[in-house]
Amino acid sequence: STFTYDTDAPTVTISTPMNNGFYSAVQVSTPFGGSTTDNGSNRTGLSTVTLTLQDITASSILLSSVPAAGTPAVWTYGASAITYTDGDQYRLTVTAWDNAQNSTSTVATFIYDVTQPTSAVTGYNNGLVLTNGSYVQPVSSFTGTAVDKSPGQIKDVLVKLEDQANGDWWDNTAKQWKTSGDATLAANRYMTVGNSNISAPSLSAGDNHYTWSYTLPTEIDWFGTTGGDTNREGHLIAAV
């Protein structure tokens, strides 16, 4: 008889969930997934991929060496059937085997977070100044807060600017005011604050508290010089 002598373990990677990341109710419809590669010059082929999922916070095992779906080379596991606990940390261990029974494992640790963050606009600089019946000094920047339940983290803050006088919204791509029914407005309404303008969190009563600041685009037309309207009444809304 003949046989193949294979001592090289396969390589397995996890693409979802991201290691040291967050998982939520929005993402559980996306299955766990990754890929496996057989290694060495005397490869015997991939055999099996198994998953073990531990709730680190609760010290419990949710999955124990459960076979993955798909193929060993491109594996998946439907994670939506798992019951998660908000705020708990989880460890996913994926083990791949080849036909010579060589194995290797890789790990992804993540936090399950389904608590929605909150945000608020708290102040502004250079408020509109009324002089002889005309607004002469537009708002240039805003500040605000964002709060997320620990251990959740704020990824970014988005802001959008409404003209309360007539319901128009600022389109930051077209650099002009548009009506709320404009078909192109939905994708271009939000402006990104950016991580450099968001403070490091401070923990208070179990929540991570952030402050942020945003300088409005200089192209914003406050006085109707491009749209025929005058004296915009700005209303800033923040989302996280």
Side-chain angles (χ1 to χ4, degrees):
S1 65
T2 61
F3 62 90
T4 301
Y5 183 64
D6 179 7
T7 60
D8 293 298
T11 301
V12 59
T13 61
I14 301 173
S15 56
T16 305
M18 183 180 298
N19 188 35
N20 295 322
F22 292 86
Y23 212 53
S24 72
V26 177
Q27 297 171 305
V28 293
S29 58
T30 302
F32 294 158
S35 61
T36 307
T37 303
D38 199 9
N39 297 314
S41 58
N42 297 316
R43 291 178 292 231
T44 53
L46 299 172
S47 172
T48 308
V49 174
T50 62
L51 292 80
T52 295
L53 182 64
Q54 177 187 7
D55 184 334
I56 300 174
T57 306
S59 299
S60 61
I61 303 295
L62 285 75
L63 301 174
S64 180
S65 299
V66 176
T71 66
V74 182
W75 58 269
T76 63
Y77 186 85
S80 59
I82 301 170
T83 300
Y84 299 93
T85 301
D86 184 27
D88 279 9
Q89 185 179 39
Y90 294 83
R91 179 186 294 118
L92 176 66
T93 302
V94 178
T95 303
W97 302 78
D98 67 12
N99 287 313
Q101 295 302 294
N102 300 303
S103 66
T104 188
S105 298
T106 190
V107 173
T109 302
F110 62 92
I111 293 171
Y112 185 68
D113 180 9
V114 292
T115 300
Q116 292 185 340
T118 60
S119 60
V121 179
T122 57
Y124 56 86
N125 295 328
N126 297 335
L128 293 173
V129 178
L130 185 65
T131 303
N132 297 326
S134 298
Y135 291 99
V136 297
Q137 187 177 1
V139 173
S140 64
S141 64
F142 286 86
T143 58
T145 60
V147 179
D148 195 17
K149 177 184 176 182
S150 180
Q153 298 176 7
I154 297 295
K155 182 179 180 181
D156 208 340
V157 177
L158 305 178
V159 297
K160 56 184 179 180
L161 186 65
E162 179 190 18
D163 178 1
Q164 287 189 308
N166 57 21
D168 288 351
W169 293 87
W170 178 254
D171 184 322
N172 201 43
T173 299
K175 304 300 181 185
Q176 66 184 59
W177 294 95
K178 290 185 177 180
T179 63
S180 58
D182 191 290
T184 64
L185 181 61
N188 304 323
R189 181 182 299 179
Y190 283 100
M191 297 170 280
T192 302
V193 168
N195 290 334
S196 62
N197 296 313
I198 303 174
S199 69
S202 60
L203 185 64
S204 175
D207 294 329
N208 283 325
H209 291 251
Y210 301 75
T211 59
W212 56 266
S213 61
Y214 183 72
T215 300
L216 292 173
T218 57
E219 298 91 346
I220 291 181
D221 175 19
W222 291 102
F223 305 115
T225 57
T226 61
D229 194 12
T230 58
N231 300 338
R232 298 280 182 179
E233 296 180 10
H235 175 221
L236 194 80
I237 299 173
V240 290

